[in-house]
Amino acid sequence: MSVPQHVAIIMDGNGRWAQQRGKGRVAGHKAGVETVRSTVTTARELGIKALTLFAFSSENWKRPEEEVGVLMDLFMFVLTREVKRLHKNNIRFQLVGDKQRFSEKLQEKINEAEQLTRNNDAMVLSIAANYGGRWDIAKACQKIAQKAVNGEVEPADINEHMLDNYIQLSQLPELDLLIRTGGDYRISNFLLWQAAYAEFFFTEKLWPEFDADAFKEALQAFTHRERRFGQTGEQVRGI
């Protein structure tokens, strides 16, 4: 199977999975951690070079305070427990998003994980937390605007290529496949710029149900897509 180089996943459905089983939403988030581990392992084994997971959006702060607190504690726990596993498997970890709203302790833990794994090159695992696609584009524009104010760039020179250099994940392969679990058919402000030519795969499976076989099914579907990038099908097939 020819796998995509860069896969992103919106991990949706933890709360509903728990509620269907008469449990609190927190149980769903804990079950979702096991799916993250399985997905990372499968991606590494199949030779995917970059895996980006949407863990916590900038809009998720609106959720009940107790749930947000549990998510932050769970994030800290997972970072503490899993980073050595990532390092052992030559996986580089990075956080994508605005770290400033996290506690100082969590920011320190994120920085430690990034530093420990910074030279690993088998795969890049990006966790999008306190991330939003509109925020990403706005931050890139701010950086370019500051360069214009400093006289380092002329407005007429600003183009897509320049903006792309300031967008999150610009150092990774182009996004090939975006998966969303949980049955919703939207991308919820995730990787708006990066997903311009990505293939989408939506599944009814809730995130804790998205096992290795389900992941491989999504990857298999990708191999049957004809990616034209503005060309005709005949051009792509060399007819």
Side-chain angles (χ1 to χ4, degrees):
M1 178 172 62
S2 177
V3 299
Q5 290 296 290
H6 186 178
V7 178
I9 306 178
I10 300 174
M11 307 179 293
D12 195 19
N14 288 337
R16 282 173 286 159
W17 179 90
Q19 289 168 348
Q20 288 175 4
R21 288 156 179 77
K23 301 178 180 180
R25 293 176 60 86
V26 173
H29 294 307
K30 290 181 178 179
V33 170
E34 299 303 318
T35 306
V36 169
R37 183 184 293 115
S38 168
T39 302
V40 171
T41 299
T42 301
R44 172 73 172 83
E45 290 174 349
L46 293 177
I48 291 170
K49 301 305 294 181
L51 177 65
T52 302
L53 304 178
F54 201 11
F56 191 85
S57 78
S58 50
E59 288 80 22
N60 284 155
W61 295 104
K62 302 173 186 176
R63 292 190 174 191
E65 186 175 343
E66 181 181 0
E67 182 176 352
V68 171
V70 168
L71 283 169
M72 293 300 106
D73 290 342
L74 191 58
F75 194 17
M76 175 73 80
F77 173 73
V78 170
L79 273 176
T80 302
R81 190 179 69 173
E82 296 297 323
V83 66
K84 290 182 180 179
R85 186 194 304 267
L86 295 176
H87 189 46
K88 182 179 179 180
N89 287 281
N90 197 24
I91 297 171
R92 178 161 68 88
F93 168 86
Q94 65 176 3
L95 185 123
V96 180
D98 186 358
K99 301 177 186 177
Q100 300 306 309
R101 195 165 177 180
F102 297 136
S103 68
E104 288 187 8
K105 188 175 182 180
L106 181 52
Q107 290 184 50
E108 289 175 5
K109 188 62 65 175
I110 292 167
N111 290 335
E112 288 173 7
E114 291 179 333
Q115 286 300 308
L116 176 65
T117 63
R118 67 186 184 278
N119 295 321
N120 296 342
D121 58 7
M123 187 177 81
V124 178
L125 173 63
S126 304
I127 300 296
N130 197 22
Y131 173 89
R134 292 177 176 177
W135 166 86
D136 191 356
I137 295 170
K139 290 295 291 185
C141 291
Q142 288 175 6
K143 292 175 182 178
I144 295 175
Q146 187 60 58
K147 284 187 170 292
V149 169
N150 296 343
E152 299 174 39
V153 61
E154 292 295 326
D157 295 330
I158 299 173
N159 54 30
E160 290 181 23
H161 177 71
M162 182 182 292
L163 187 60
D164 190 58
N165 289 330
Y166 290 91
I167 291 287
Q168 301 284 308
L169 308 181
S170 61
Q171 79 284 9
L172 299 181
E174 289 280 342
L175 181 62
D176 293 313
L177 175 63
L178 192 155
I179 300 168
R180 179 169 187 149
T181 64
D184 285 328
Y185 292 78
R186 56 179 177 268
I187 61 173
S188 298
N189 195 25
F190 183 46
L191 302 182
L192 299 181
W193 179 274
Q194 297 88 338
Y197 279 101
E199 297 294 325
F200 290 2
F201 182 89
F202 298 98
T203 175
E204 298 292 323
K205 287 182 179 293
L206 304 176
W207 177 244
E209 302 168 338
F210 192 75
D211 57 15
D213 287 340
F215 188 24
K216 290 176 181 177
E217 179 185 348
L219 299 176
Q220 187 66 49
F222 171 83
T223 65
H224 296 299
R225 306 278 180 91
E226 182 176 78
R227 308 185 74 199
R228 295 189 291 274
F229 299 101
Q231 294 182 309
T232 66
E234 289 77 10
Q235 285 177 300
V236 172
R237 295 189 295 272
I239 299 175

